[in-house]
Amino acid sequence: MLNETISRRTFIKGSVSLSALLGLGAAGTQAPKGLIPKAAAKTNGKVEQFYNACPRNCYDTCSILTTVEDGRITFITGNEKNTYTKGRLCVKGNTYPRVVYSPDRIKYPMRQKGRGSGNWERISWDEAYTIIAKKILEIKKEYGSTLPICLNKYSGNFNILNYATEGMLSSIGYTTRAQGTPCDPAGSDAQGFDMGVAYNNDPEQFLDADYIILWGANPSWTSAHSMYFIEEAKENGTKLVVIDPLITQTASKADEYIQVKASTDGALALGMIRYILDNQLYDKEWVNQNSIGFNEFFAYVKKNITLDWAAEKTGVPKPVIERIAREYATAKPANIWIGFGMQRHVNGGAMVRAIDALAAITGNIGKKGGGVNYIGGETWGFNYHTMSFGAPEGSGGEEDRFVNMNNFGAQVLAANEPPIKMMWIACRNPLAQDPEPTVVKKAFDQMDLVVTADLYMNQTVEYSDIVLPVTTPFESVGINVSYWHYWMNVNEQAIKPLYETKSDLEIAMGLSKKLNQIEPGSCTFPVSGDPLEWVEKELNNDIKALFGVKSWDDLRKNGGTAKANESITVAWNDLKFRTPSGKYEFYSKKAAQYGHHPLPVFTEEYKAPKEYPIRCMSPHWKFGIHSQFQHQDWLMAIQDHPFIEIHPDLAKTRSIKDGDIVKIINETGYMTLPAKITKMVPADTVVMYEGWWKGVNYTENFTVKALAEDMGEYKKGQRGIAFHDNFVNIEKA
Amino acid sequence: MAKKLGFLVNIERCIGCHACEISCKSFYQLEPNMRRRRVTELPEELVGTPVRAFVSTACNHCDEPACKKACPVGAYTKREDGIVVHDQNMCIGCQMCGKACPYGVPQFNPVKKKMDKCSMCYDRLDVGQLPICVEKCPLEAIQIVDYNEVEPSNSVSVVPTFADPSITHPTTHFILPKPGKQTRRF
Amino acid sequence: MNHSEIKHSCLEERMFMYQLFLHYYRGDLLKLPAAEWGKLLEILECQPALQSNDWGRKAVLQLQNMTTQTLEPFEYDFNRLFVGPNKLLASPFESSYQNFEGTVMQAETLKVRNFYYYEGLQVANEGGLPDDHIQFELEFILHLLSSEKKKEALHLFLEKHLLKWVDQHCARIEEHSQSLITLAFGYMLKGFILLEKSLIEGEGL
């Protein structure tokens, strides 16, 4: 017994003894006071409004109006001054008050004793910086460079100031980076080969379209604000066609839905092209003036593509292909939106090239309200000042080393000379979102130190050594643009950061300060600075002119949101393509350089292995953006468990009834979850929605292999993942 | 003539996103299980071809509100403009109204020990603002209509899962989706 | 302990207990070396407030069984209950108990803030830390205890705030505690709050 081991002393009564024992002197005198005399000016009932920007990885990237009463957020809604946000938020954005004030936020820097043990001790920021800085310097000494340090950061927060994390890592020397994107790589390469770069029309121009094809896109769930413009267009008489393997929420709204066999969309586009060419419905003048390689492509189509083949391949009857082709070719302008899901196949890039070609031969590219719209980056011309400091003198290595974000676990394990020993994870939850999560976990096991900066406990934080608490958008400063619409949104600090949370920028400055204290000159990142000054440094004259703003502060004072001028909102309006030829390239030498066919040809889809005949798709879910939002209890109150959608015919073959627990299995892994019997999915495909990790011991990626898409290296450095070429078997559990 | 206000819910435009429900919840700072407006899934075969369809409902501000009849303390009033108002200060939490309402609209709040329901944001309407759900629907699928002025010809007063309107004469009307063409894989 | 002696804890005893809990929730005991725990126990063993009901006695008994092995998991368990980074198992914020979902910085928090204002006080990091964290409420009570004139305010604050939620807080500690020490302090708090309740009821307002 503990108290027997010490000698009994004279009892000193009460509080004095307690404080003496705790080394605090007389009661409370030396202890830091939690309560202090009230500042004289404090009054109640003060109501303020601030502009914020939703920084999540989302098409809509909303401008937000935040109401703050007595320093506390009471309502968060859309900014009416932004004609795309239109004063309204999606369901996820409406949960932001809960995101900020949930009792479950990560509040303090903490260190876990034993990765995955759940034994956390609270540490100060100074201790956290010291542990991390010492490890960095130790690694640098041992390996002669900082290459054993690996950054895995991506899309959890697209505030431009959050690139401070990348900047901080660059400022300590050359490091290893998780490169690429699980998002859009194959399609972006495809549009890169065809047009030089992916570039989309302003989505507000759906109103100007005469005909809209949403090709594998489900904006009802992923871009509600775009869906508004589409519904408005529909009411004005625009025909909405949705091509998708699934009857999505958006397909449910279509004037015409066409179910295509997954991963054969390129065959459908080529079938339509064949019909258009045969019937002289193409825009000869456009093709002659603005493209190269049309004749070669024409010859390929004539020789290899028939409508019977396309019908057989895609499951879409020939008369439907013919009718849709005619309607599309004769509507002016006709608008195609290619969803990211459609290219998450082993032939995804080739399919996007075929659809691009369809838009090109009909002269729909470069037209207001038309276009072949996928993604764009025209408004992203910031200075990226946070990434501009460079490696300190004498840091070893010659350049950063890259591992593929999409095969992160395996490539981290394979890296050697030097091996990877430390990971910094920010704006990501790789243990939930990556394919083959068990391999990712093995990679974690190899680390000396795993540091994760996050808002909430999740699988990745659970398996980290140090967690750093970060701010919500409402607690820090920033600026955001979208890869879809043409607005720039300021993000003001609306409230004080809760607890000890810090932004990625502040963390970068704090760590740099510590590194320089321990070893002067070891980090080039500035050690201090006002975030308001940092954010002003992001704007250059070009971007100011583009948006017609004088400064960040000017924009803050004038509505918090600005739209880019019309010179860029119609993609390729000047028809000056950024390809080597300056023309639209049906024949792309660049594609050939990257090992692809130079023409937009059909490449075969991934075939189901015999043992695993069922395709399992994992599209985005309406209550989440990847692993964010879904876990919020406001949304859990609506839907509290994941499920798998199964067609009644398929369910029948395995005696599965609605609500039955189903086991999904393949060679990579398995999971069990309840069935939802529905005709919204085809009979050879099951669907489980992406990003659900809360309250379950699996993620949709348990059966997903790191199977590569066909493209991605050209624009993103790495190929993407064929998430939707995931084949499984199912049985009643 | 007095107004007869009611919700007009356009199911053709509704994408089942629940933004109406969560913006209401956020604005009134309601607990997660308190749902003054709720979005429910409709049968897939609603309009013939199978689709994902949802309907958003709140209090139906009935012409003959069963809640008002059932309340033993007179906490319910029907305003001249048709809005059925529940006075939480008077409410004793007996839950009789919840049992009487064929739509199960009044909900018991176990923290406040009171009933709770949609007020059509009458305090906002009174100062010329729209109800939160109407203003915040990303698809503009919810409207307030004065049914004494206009009865939208394309609307219906009942959808599947919705109780028989002859009981309480709800004012809510719905615009049903137009069935689209579907080509299923052969 | 003679029951009549402690009829209701005297001011000094009450201040000791509030101070003890303040130190505890502020995390001051987390770094207490093993040897010092013995001294603390000696002090606790002599506290009338702890000897006057079952919960207090149970708590002291628990602590008497403490070994050096008990100390290590104490900090982890303390964090699991009150600090994070996981979902808090026994939130130390009043507002977590006054609305279903435990959201912090709600109307309840502002009521607590207004109480502090009324006494000319505020949380040092106002806005950064919710005003209704138990450590601030305890500190505030100590402030009110320091003057006989503030007795009315003290009773009002206890009734409207601390006494309203601490039972639920203690229940969550009992449910989720995995350490002898956090459990003992949960018992101690529960027992002490019972005394405070009976004191207030006895004195009336």
Side-chain angles (χ1 to χ4, degrees), chain A residues 1 15 21 24 27 31 34-36 38-39 42 44 70 72 98 101 103-104 110 113 118 120 496 499 634, chain C residues 19 23 26 36 64 76 79-80 84 87 101-105 113-114 117 120 122 124-126 128 139:
Chain A
M1 299 294 158
S15 330
L21 183 65
L24 299 167
L35 296 175
I36 57 167
K38 176 167 92 94
K42 287 212 171 291
N44 279 330
D70 297 325
R72 179 177 75 96
R98 179 60 171 167
Y101 294 126
D104 304 340
M110 298 193 82
K113 287 292 183 65
W120 292 88
K496 254 188 169 176
Y499 319 107
W634 288 13
Chain C
Q19 236 148 25
H23 286 305
R26 215 167 55 181
E36 306 287 298
Q64 283 166 345
Y76 305 141
N79 289 338
R80 262 190 290 273
K87 181 183 176 69
E101 40 189 16
T103 304
V104 301
M105 289 293 238
R113 178 182 296 178
N114 287 338
Y117 280 8
Q122 67 162 93
N125 179 18
E126 186 181 289
E139 195 174 334

Side-chain angles (χ1 to χ4, degrees), chain A residues 609 611-614 616 663-671 701-705 725-730:
Chain A
E611 320 86 280
Y612 303 110
I614 302 163
C616 178
K663 184 175 186 184
I664 310 169
I665 186 162
N666 68 9
E667 65 272 47
T668 307
Y670 74 93
M671 65 207 114
N701 289 319
F702 268 36
T703 57
V704 175
K705 289 185 287 293
D725 290 334
N726 174 26
F727 289 93
V728 300
N729 213 332
I730 63 168

Side-chain angles (χ1 to χ4, degrees), chain A residues 51 60 69 198-199 204 244 250 260 289 346 359 388 397 429 469 496 509 522 538 544 556 577 584 620 664 702 718:
Chain A
Y51 294 115
D60 289 12
E69 294 178 38
Y199 181 0
E204 294 172 47
D244 205 299
T250 305
V260 63
Q289 286 179 3
V346 295
S388 64
N429 180 5
K496 254 188 169 176
M509 292 190 284
S522 61
E538 286 300 334
K544 284 178 194 172
R556 176 184 76 81
F577 293 97
Y584 184 95
H620 289 192
I664 310 169
F702 268 36
Q718 307 279 351

Side-chain angles (χ1 to χ4, degrees), chain A residues 472-510:
Chain A
T472 62
F474 308 92
E475 296 159 313
S476 57
V477 165
I479 191 147
N480 287 80
V481 288
S482 157
Y483 47 74
W484 186 240
H485 64 61
Y486 281 85
W487 290 83
M488 176 160 80
N489 302 327
V490 301
N491 188 66
E492 294 183 88
Q493 184 179 337
I495 55 166
K496 254 188 169 176
L498 274 165
Y499 319 107
E500 291 184 3
T501 55
K502 287 185 194 293
S503 68
D504 282 357
L505 171 63
E506 290 170 292
I507 293 171
M509 292 190 284

